[in-house]
Structures are given as structure tokens and as C-alpha cells.
Amino acid sequence: MSSSRALPFQPALFASGRPYAERAESEEGWHDRLAQALDATALAPLRRHLHVLRGDARRLVERVDALGPELQRLGDEALRARAAALRPQLRREGFRLEQVAQAFALVREAAGRTIGQRHFATQLHGGYELLRGRLVEMATGEGKTFCATLPACAVALAGYPVHVITVNDYLARRDAEKMGPLYRFLGLDVGVVVQGMPRDERRQAYAAAITYATNKELAFDYLRDRVALQGKGTRLHQSVRRLAGHGPAQQGTVLRGLYYAIVDEADSVFVDEARTPLILSATVDAGEDAQHGREALDFARALAEGEHFACEGFERSIHLTDAGRERLDAFAADLDGPWTSVRGREELVQQALSALHLFRRDQHYVVVEGKVQIVDESTGRVMPDRSWERGLHQMIELKEGLEPTARRDTLARLTYQRLFRRYVHLSGMTGTGAEVAREIKVVYGLDTARVPLRKPSRRIDHGFAFVGTTARKWERVADAAEALACGAGRPVLIGTRSVEASEQVSAVLRARGLPHALLNAKQDNEEAAVVALAGQPGRITVATNMAGRGTDIELGEGVAAAGGLHVILTEYHDSRRVDRQLVGRCARQGDPGSCQAIVSLEDEIFRLCAPRLAGAVARALQAGTRLPGPLLAALRRHAQHTAERRQHGIRMANLKQDRQLQKLLAFTGRSE
Ligand SMILES: Nc1ncnc2c1ncn2[C@@H]1O[C@H](COP(=O)(O)OP(=O)(O)OP(=O)(O)O)[C@@H](O)[C@H]1O
């Protein structure tokens, strides 16, 4: 497309953040499509501006390198003036290769002056692919956080709101703080949205040129915006109102719309988290009777697995058998309230059974100050403002002997798949995307671009060891940690899958008198301090997935010469990608480092995903048989493959349900 055909940029629209831009989906009705056509004034410029981007990354890198010396000679003010002058050019010409090279060269120079780091060629390459709307695969430790500043600045300089999305509050805050001086130097303000922030502050943060937020905060803000807009007429009404000048504050929304997103740890957000739909709920006034819950728990405790109910641990589903139902009917005969209807009583008992058999303390949730708080399994963090649906949360509270909190009812529901497909322009980055590249292409339409390593990896993999029992595993882990930390003076990171497991290994280390730090959902306020010390000589750190993705452990003095950080993986995850993320904490950016896995046949993944094979291997080990490595590797592959396949099935079912629900809701007028 030639520049003369590109629509002129309309800064006024964006300055006031007027249109709530987002992409409409095909299944919406004619009035939605008409509304979208009206909103096209907001969408078209960004699309058109990006459309002119041509040429390969190599040319861009050469051009940025060539522009470097001249920019280096400029004073700070002159450099800022260059950035200011580039803005109208970007608006006029769009993201042509030359303009992008200028923007990237400016960002690189400004970064050198403000944060003391200059983008590597690999990061320029990655930045270019992000701008093109790709899923960028860059190995762990290659500096994705820094790489994202390039497209973020380029798009923000052109005047479009940019969202940089990370997986947890710690990373959102850390990245916004670290990169803030660079953005401000270029005249761009930066906002950050974290858990517990009031609405006004959120609106302010989203009004910034570049906003850092977690996927969860963003999704819930979007959901709340949709609910706020619901009472205000159809989408067509809203579009007309927007064109008439209503901004977020007048509309009661916080976001300015969904323009350009750079999603960090994209495989986690796009794939792993896509398993759970996001549900916005409100407290139900009618105080639910805890008595029914207690009755249900008493009844459920007396039921026998296999006879009265069947349990699918992996899918987290449980159902009554015919014998169970008969017993329930007899039990409910004299009771009132929800017990009188078949649906009511079966749901009560199902929730009670789930609370008893599917949800475990210190794995799926923790109890903090008399409250049940959900632990996000993929990030290892607590989610204090989330609760399980349909009375399950209260049932778990009752199981723990706590006072049940008020029950909440669903207001709106959304999946990440739907949310991210609504961005006008979307990109993502990850260290571990290869296995899910196809799924991401199918669901989100993103092509993958792989950026090569800057320096060859020096990671030494010491392989894996299988032991028969969990107790034995912790002893072996403690042996290895002791030898490396005390013997070689190297820092050791021990990764566990649950809070419970982290506490078990911590107890074994304590019993041996080995000092160590513990990082899990119960200790999350010490996170930055624990991470800051985790690379010091002889330091042992035990952590759940909290120290997985994104965590950057800096090596202390003399550590590289001693061999770098050593990572011990103590349980395979459902997805190999999460294992690679943990291992990716060591040997970053060409540093030395090593890893090993010490796992037990009692681990959940083997019990749930390869019970027969794991049982046979356990018996052979007990009999003292030495099993060949390839057989054990096959066991691991089989278990993880089964887990990944099941997870994939759940995600696809979720997406399908989401589409069906959307159609249904369109009839009742209660879409999100
Ligand atoms: N251009 C650069 N110059 C100097 N240091 C850099 C540069 N880019 C990144 N780094 C440093 O490299 C380290 C790793 O960066 P970062 O944590 O962003 O990697 P990552 O790719 O996001 O890793 P992960 O996949 O684990 O999240 C950080 O300490 C960062 O400061």
C-alpha cells in the first residue's frame, strides 16, 4: 500500500482515548458489524500503518547499526528532539522499514543512556518480528523483556496505546520500573496495573502510552468494561456515542480499547491459562445456608470411591454412580431446601465430593488468615481475589472448618482465546513455544519467528534419576544440593510443583542443618529479596513455579567460575515447556550452569497419566533391578505426552463451549 493511500492519523481520537477499539468476531450480528464499521475509524490507521512494513530483519539490523554512530554523537536534548520529530513521520508514513529502523536506533541509544544496556542484534531482530505481529521464540535469558521495548516504543511513538502483558504482578512491576526511564526519556509515559489497584488508578495506568499489566488484571478489567457497557445500549449505540466524544471516564470503562499487545511468556498465557475460563462474579445477597453444605460434606464423607462415585483426578471431575444416587435419594428424603430437587442435591453432593477429593490444601489452595486462597498452578502464586464457582469455594472452606464467605454469582465469562483475538494487532514472545506453535497459529492466527541464540549455550544437563518414593526423592535432592552448595560453593535452585512439596524438601534440608531460602505462595512478599540472593555462592533456594518463567537470577561473584547456577527439577510438569522454563533459570546469556532432574514414581503425573507403566517400573526398582535409561525416558515421555494431550482436549472443549455460550448469550442479551 502506498503512503498516499494510507489514511491520515487522527491524533485527537487517541489522545482522548475515545474509541474502544477491538476487533469484532465473525459470529456477531449485522448491527455489531455495522458498529464495527463505525469503529473502523479507530482500527484502520493502526492496521494500515503496519501494513506498509516490508523487508527482512537483517536489513533492519544493518540499518539500525548504521544509524548508531550519528545518534551517539547527539546530546540528550537533540536525541529527544529526534524522537519528537519521528512521531509525525510515523503517523504520516506508517511503519516503513526506514521509520522502524530510526525508531529502533533511537530506542537503543536512549536505553544505553538511561539503563546502561544497548539492544543486541538478536533483540532488534526479535523486536522487528514483534512489530510484525509474530509469536517470537527467543530462548530463556536472551532478554525478551528488553527486546519488547523496541516495538512498544515504536507503536507508542505513533500514538497507539500499547499493552505489555506479563504473567505476574512481580514481573509487571519489575519490568515497568526497569524500563520506565527509557520510555520517559523518549517522552512516553508508562503505567502499571497490579492486583488490588482502585479503578481510578487503573484508568490512569491505561491512559499511559505504554501499560504493563498481567493477563489476569487486563482480562478482568476488560470484562468489567464490557459489563459496564452492557447497560448502555447495543454495541451500535456505544459506537455512536464514542464517535460523539465519550471517553473511558464518561463511559465508566478503564481501558481505551485493545490496540496492540505484546504478550510475554505467550505460551503460558495463550495456551496453559487458556484452560480456565475467566469469570467475573458478584456477591449474592441471599446468604446461603452453610447448614446444607455441612450436611452435604457429612454425607459425602461416608461415600466410597468406585462404589458410590467415580473420580477423574486429571480432568478434575467427579460423578455419582447409580448406587451413589440411590443412597442420596434416601438421605435427602427428610431434608428441605436444595435437597428437595434432584439437581439441587446432586450439585451439592458433587461439590462436597470435589472439595473432599479433588482439591488439596497446599497444592490447589492455601489457608491464610482463616481464608481459602486459590493457588494458580501454572505460576505458583495465590490469587486472593478469585474464588471457585457455584458454592465450591464455600464447600472447601467448610471442609477446612472455616466460616464460609458469601457466595458469588457469575456476571460475565470470557476465555483468553476470545480476549486476545480481539486485539487489533497482537504479538507474543516466549522461550518455549515450539510445541504449541501450531495451536497458537490456529487459535490466534500468529506465525512463529525464531530468533537464534546470541551466544552458544553452556548449560550442562546431568540427566535424570528416578527413585521409588517421595521420601527417598527429598533425600537425594538434599544430597545433591549439599554437595554443590557446600562442596563447590555454587548456588542451587530446587524447583517444586506445589507449596506442600516445597515445604517437604525444606524440612529435610532443615533437618540436615542446611540453610536455605523458601519461595512459595505463602511467602510471596519476600519474592524480590529471595530472587536477588538466589545467585550468591553456596545459596540454596527452594521454590515453586514462582521462580519459573521470567525470573532472572543474577550470578554472584565467583559463581560463573565455579560452574554457575545449578537447577534441580523435582517433579515433571504436565507440559515439557514448564520444565524447560525452570531449567532456563540457569546458563543464561552464555553463562555457565547446569541442571538435573530427580523425580519419584509416586509423583502425581505418573500416578495420573501413566499408572500402569509407573507401577511396573516401581516394582522393578523395588526388586533391585537396574532399569535402562531409555526405558525411564520413555516413561517420562509417555506421561507428559498423555498430560499434554488431555490439556489440549480441555482447551479445545473450552473454546467450543465459549463459542456456544456466546451464541446463547447473544439471544438473551447477556454477553460479556
Ligand atoms: N542488551 C542487553 N545488554 C545487557 N544485558 C542484557 C541485555 N538484554 C538483556 N540483558 C540482561 O539479560 C538478563 C536476562 O534478561 P530477561 O530476564 O529479560 O530474559 P528473558 O528472555 O525474558 O528470560 P525468560 O525467558 O527467562 O523470561 C537480564 O539480567 C537482563 O538485564
Side-chain angles (χ1 to χ4, degrees), residues 8 102 160 166 219 233 247 267 282 292-293 340 366 374 380 486-487 501 529 559 641 650 665:
Q102 300 240 5
Y160 299 100
T166 58
D267 60 319
H292 299 311
T340 52
V366 289
I374 302 179
C486 305
V559 167
H641 193 236
I650 295 173
L665 289 171

Side-chain angles (χ1 to χ4, degrees), residues 136-415:
V136 173
E137 205 188 338
M138 261 174 114
T140 46
E142 290 290 290
K144 287 182 281 296
T145 316
F146 194 43
C147 172
T149 57
L150 295 160
C153 286
V155 174
L157 282 172
Y160 299 100
V162 176
H163 294 162
V164 184
I165 293 155
T166 58
V167 285
N168 62 58
D169 282 351
Y170 161 75
L171 292 177
R173 228 184 252 122
R174 182 197 75 178
D175 295 351
E177 250 166 50
K178 183 160 180 203
M179 305 305 162
L182 159 62
Y183 296 135
R184 283 187 285 274
F185 184 96
L186 294 171
L188 301 166
D189 52 347
V190 55
V192 54
V193 180
V194 290
Q195 206 159 259
M197 217 179 212
R199 271 180 85 69
D200 281 350
E201 282 180 35
R202 281 169 192 264
R203 190 174 293 132
Q204 244 174 343
Y206 287 120
I210 297 163
T211 309
Y212 281 80
T214 63
N215 45 322
K216 289 205 178 72
E217 294 306 314
L218 179 102
F220 281 102
D221 283 333
Y222 176 77
L223 265 179
R224 278 187 286 263
D225 275 5
R226 304 302 308 173
V227 171
L229 289 171
Q230 250 173 40
K232 303 196 170 144
T234 63
R235 182 160 175 208
L236 189 54
H237 284 119
Q238 290 156 21
S239 304
V240 172
R241 227 171 281 136
R242 264 176 246 132
L243 289 176
H246 288 231
Q250 287 142 310
Q251 297 192 105
T253 58
V254 298
L255 283 154
R256 287 188 284 164
L258 307 176
Y259 292 86
Y260 175 50
I262 305 171
V263 180
D264 196 3
E265 311 296 354
D267 60 319
S268 169
V269 176
F270 288 161
V271 176
D272 301 330
E273 305 224 6
R275 211 181 121 183
T276 327
L278 301 150
I279 289 161
L280 189 67
S281 58
T283 306
V284 178
D285 290 337
E288 277 287 326
D289 195 357
Q291 182 58 26
H292 299 311
R294 289 199 187 93
E295 286 162 355
L297 279 170
D298 285 344
F299 172 76
R301 279 197 185 99
L303 298 182
E305 185 169 353
E307 187 187 349
H308 301 115
F309 68 93
C311 171
E312 292 289 342
F314 192 85
E315 275 91 6
R316 294 237 193 115
S317 75
I318 216 156
H319 58 266
L320 285 169
T321 60
D322 288 343
R325 258 189 220 104
E326 253 172 53
R327 201 171 156 147
L328 171 60
D329 292 345
F331 173 78
D334 306 328
L335 297 172
D336 55 8
W339 294 106
T340 52
S341 80
V342 177
R343 242 186 97 193
R345 60 177 173 263
E346 288 194 2
E347 176 153 326
L348 259 180
V349 171
Q350 197 160 351
Q351 298 293 41
L353 285 168
S354 303
L356 293 172
H357 302 284
L358 298 179
F359 293 85
R360 295 181 49 212
R361 183 170 174 165
D362 288 343
Q363 181 179 352
H364 304 109
Y365 62 92
V366 289
V367 176
V368 182
E369 292 165 4
K371 296 229 158 35
V372 164
Q373 296 196 337
I374 302 179
V375 176
D376 180 328
E377 284 174 78
S378 66
T379 64
R381 281 152 213 276
V382 282
M383 304 191 290
D385 53 353
R386 297 297 132 73
S387 57
W388 281 295
E389 273 194 291
R390 294 186 292 135
L392 176 63
H393 204 86
Q394 290 67 25
M395 202 64 92
I396 292 175
E397 286 169 332
L398 288 171
K399 171 182 105 174
E400 293 293 342
L402 306 168
E403 200 49 47
T405 48
R407 197 173 148 161
R408 300 173 72 77
D409 205 13
T410 302
L411 283 181
R413 183 182 181 281
L414 178 76
T415 56

Side-chain angles (χ1 to χ4, degrees), residues 430-458:
T430 172
T432 45
E435 301 99 306
V436 284
R438 238 191 93 230
E439 184 173 332
I440 291 179
K441 170 76 183 162
V442 171
V443 178
Y444 300 90
L446 298 191
D447 287 311
T448 300
R450 175 172 279 170
V451 177
L453 282 175
R454 189 172 69 89
K455 286 184 185 170
S457 170
R458 289 166 68 194

Side-chain angles (χ1 to χ4, degrees), residues 511-526:
R512 292 190 181 199
L514 285 175
H516 60 278
L518 180 60
L519 179 61
N520 62 32
K522 290 184 184 168
Q523 265 102 354
D524 59 351
N525 45 6
E526 290 145 41

Side-chain angles (χ1 to χ4, degrees), residues 117-120 123 139-146 174 178 265 431 549-552 554 581 584-585 588-589:
Q117 291 177 357
R118 292 173 63 81
H119 297 81
F120 302 128
Q123 290 169 328
T140 46
E142 290 290 290
K144 287 182 281 296
T145 316
F146 194 43
R174 182 197 75 178
K178 183 160 180 203
E265 311 296 354
R549 293 178 177 278
T551 306
D552 187 40
E554 275 180 43
Q581 284 289 347
R585 298 315 102 198
R588 292 155 77 80
Q589 299 257 354

Side-chain angles (χ1 to χ4, degrees), residues 21-24 36 39-48 258-259 424:
E22 58 180 324
R23 230 196 290 192
Q36 196 200 1
D39 287 345
T41 43
L43 307 185
L46 176 56
R47 291 239 185 102
R48 281 168 205 246
L258 307 176
Y259 292 86
V424 179

